[in-house]
Amino acid sequence: MSVVVDGLEGLRVPEELSARVPAEQRGPGRGRDDVRLLVSRGEAVSHHAFRELPALLRAGDVLVVNTSPTLAAAVDGRLGPEPGGEPVVVHFSTRGDDGRWAVELRSPEPSGSTRPRAGGPAGAVVRLPGGGRLALAGPLTPGSGRLWWARAYGDVPGLLGRYGRPIRYGYTERDQPLSAYQTVFARPSPDGGGSAEMPSAGRPFTAGLVAELAARGVWIAPLSLHTGVASAEAHEPPYPERFEVPAATAALVNAARATGGRVIAVGTTVVRALESAAVAGSAGAGASARAGRGWTDLVVTPARGVRVVDGLLTGLHEPEASHLLMLEAVAGRAALRSAYAAAVRGRYLWHEFGDVHLLLPEEKGHRVRCGSNSG
């Protein structure tokens, strides 16, 4: 899927705008919420510290958050017969209903990150720490060799708990503990499942900020979507992922919409889950939120639009990322073009440890106070 957003084709994000370490490691006394917040209302852009978020929302608004925990999903392995074999890093992405796992094999770099490699070959065995094995079956998607189905022999959650580490990409400076990749909303899954990569839009939230939101009358509603391994290089669209929208969350979303509150998704994963449940329960614009669970292959595009989401809090995405289609569906092309130009000019930081972007509905006659430009 190609991403076409007029005005972003030539946008280049300088390498130095990649967030290389978490916010709390960038100086003494800093915390997770020491990031910047870019706010879009139509083409109007304002600059804030993330701690100003409660003042930017209204009593009766609902923030819908993803409670999926992040897994230590990267494990070293050896591909091929003993002794020796090709060293690989296995990224455990998604567990299928039949017990197989979708995995990505990557080549290790001396820096501790990884680089892409072709998947497979079919029938090959990857030897894992502690005597575990992976037997590669075939590509997850015909024509794409990045992700492969594999049969795991051994206890994968136990393997990840003992030998795994968080997935790390080359723009980060060093390995981080798993705790750096957990959001304040993360809750353990009964089956040991979780996300291969952090639902990063929720990372800047702290317990104190959540309490302040609640005190201002902003509701927090949970759901879960276990996100798989993203394509950091190819920017492929998302593939099927497991989700659950609780009945209480659907009811709260519908109550807010009925009383003039806004439904703000914290992350693209939340949009995908909410809109997937709405598709299952109703068709047409203005559909109600519905409880639902299972697998979703929904790709939110401008042509499809959104039905229950009014706004979105998300990170800053690469200009080629398929996620931008969803952002355009929520806010419109002009808003996206204006925001990303402002983000580059303002030296905002990209990726999972970077700054965040709040897309709100345009309000006629609404004047936005321009807050702090620091953080």
Side-chain angles (χ1 to χ4, degrees):
M1 176 183 295
S2 62
V3 177
V4 180
V5 178
D6 288 348
L8 293 189
E9 302 93 335
L11 181 69
R12 293 293 176 265
V13 180
E15 186 177 346
E16 63 268 21
L17 296 188
S18 294
R20 304 196 182 281
V21 296
E24 60 271 25
Q25 296 179 18
R26 294 181 201 145
R30 294 178 67 94
R32 282 186 173 222
D33 53 359
D34 280 305
V35 297
R36 297 167 67 190
L37 176 63
L38 182 72
V39 178
S40 296
R41 288 185 174 89
E43 295 184 65
V45 174
S46 58
H47 305 275
H48 304 264
F50 184 74
R51 291 191 181 112
E52 295 178 65
L53 178 65
L56 295 166
L57 300 178
R58 304 190 299 237
D61 287 344
V62 177
L63 286 176
V64 187
V65 302
N66 189 355
T67 62
S68 178
T70 307
L71 302 175
V75 179
D76 294 325
R78 289 273 179 174
L79 179 66
E82 300 183 68
E86 177 194 353
V88 294
V89 177
V90 181
H91 289 175
F92 284 84
S93 183
T94 303
R95 180 167 54 189
D97 289 335
D98 61 359
R100 295 186 302 171
W101 281 81
V103 300
E104 179 187 30
L105 301 187
R106 293 177 69 93
S107 298
E109 292 275 26
S111 65
S113 63
T114 61
R115 65 180 184 275
R117 75 175 289 284
V125 173
V126 180
R127 290 175 280 122
L128 301 171
R133 294 284 192 277
L134 273 181
L136 300 177
L140 178 68
T141 303
S144 174
R146 185 176 69 89
L147 290 165
W148 279 59
W149 283 117
R151 179 70 63 182
Y153 297 92
D155 172 25
V156 173
L159 172 81
L160 301 184
R162 289 190 296 274
Y163 303 107
R165 61 186 180 276
I167 290 174
R168 174 192 163 197
Y169 291 113
Y171 49 77
T172 56
E173 185 175 291
R174 56 182 177 269
D175 285 342
Q176 297 287 342
L178 184 59
S179 59
Y181 291 87
Q182 302 292 8
T183 74
V184 71
F185 305 115
R187 296 294 179 268
S189 296
D191 63 355
S195 290
E197 296 182 357
M198 172 177 55
S200 56
R203 191 183 193 279
F205 287 85
T206 63
L209 189 70
V210 171
E212 185 178 350
L213 287 163
R216 287 177 174 264
V218 176
W219 296 91
I220 307 290
L223 57 72
S224 68
L225 184 141
H226 296 325
T227 183
V229 176
S231 171
E233 294 83 20
H235 300 297
E236 300 165 349
Y239 54 88
E241 294 168 318
R242 191 192 305 272
F243 78 99
E244 180 175 3
V245 178
T249 291
L252 188 56
V253 165
N254 289 331
R257 289 167 58 83
T259 56
R262 298 170 297 182
V263 178
I264 312 296
V266 178
T268 58
T269 60
V270 171
V271 176
R272 198 179 196 204
L274 278 176
E275 295 292 325
S276 296
V279 166
S282 180
S288 297
R290 300 290 180 96
R293 62 186 303 175
W295 292 86
T296 176
D297 59 1
L298 177 66
V299 178
V300 178
T301 65
R304 185 233 180 237
V306 290
R307 303 176 182 183
V308 297
V309 171
D310 300 307
L312 171 62
L313 179 72
T314 184
L316 292 163
H317 305 279
E318 294 288 350
E320 304 85 3
S322 60
H323 287 309
L324 289 179
L325 293 173
M326 180 185 292
L327 271 64
E328 186 180 344
V330 172
R333 181 170 296 178
L336 195 56
R337 185 173 56 232
S338 176
Y340 271 64
V344 172
R345 287 195 308 269
R347 310 292 290 174
Y348 278 71
L349 296 180
W350 257 251
H351 303 304
E352 66 267 31
F353 297 139
D355 297 316
V356 284
H357 181 197
L358 176 62
L359 300 97
L360 291 173
E362 187 173 8
E363 299 178 0
K364 292 183 180 180
H366 182 78
R367 298 182 60 85
V368 181
R369 179 180 62 85
C370 186
S372 170
N373 209 15
S374 64

